[in-house]
Amino acid sequence: MSQRINYIQQSPELFKKFLEFSNLLKESAIEESVRDLVSIRASQLNGCAFCLDMHVKEAKIHGERELRIHHLPAWRESTLFAPRERAALAWTEVLTKLPEQGVPDDIYERVRTQFSEKELSDLTYDIMAINAWNRVNVAFRTVPGSADKAYGLDKANLT
């Protein structure tokens, strides 16, 4: 696979502002481990190899267990995820693959039992961001692993 265009070079100011937005999410009310799971799951759903590669490496650096990463596509059947994580994954899936009829009340209610209004708002912004990153990287075929050194992801020791 080869990259179509380098969107960072073509739109440096937009990239800089969006990166700033994404970096602000690290200070949100959502814990790092949940943000990692959300980023991996959305990237799986969107078929974004670049983001999937990046966020699996980040999760490993952050201490995530490999088995949990392997279980993400089957999180509903897995016993490895806490109720809060399950709610975040359900919210990620419904916002990533928006149904025609909108977000079902039962999913919203399940998420509201696990997250405060502030947390749910922050989680939603996190999901918005990863979906946007997925779309730009899928569109322009960003090569997985191509930014490892720049982002310190080589420390994950995954090849």
Side-chain angles (χ1 to χ4, degrees), residues 4-15:
R4 290 177 167 158
I5 67 170
N6 185 324
Y7 64 87
I8 298 168
Q9 289 176 349
Q10 296 305 313
S11 305
E13 286 303 312
L14 293 174
F15 172 77

Side-chain angles (χ1 to χ4, degrees), residues 47-70:
C48 184
F50 177 83
C51 292
L52 183 58
D53 179 85
M54 171 184 281
H55 294 294
V56 165
K57 290 172 181 171
E58 282 181 338
K60 183 168 190 240
I61 290 168
H62 297 153
E64 184 58 74
R65 294 181 3 232
E66 288 183 41
L67 186 58
R68 283 171 35 99
I69 294 170
H70 291 299

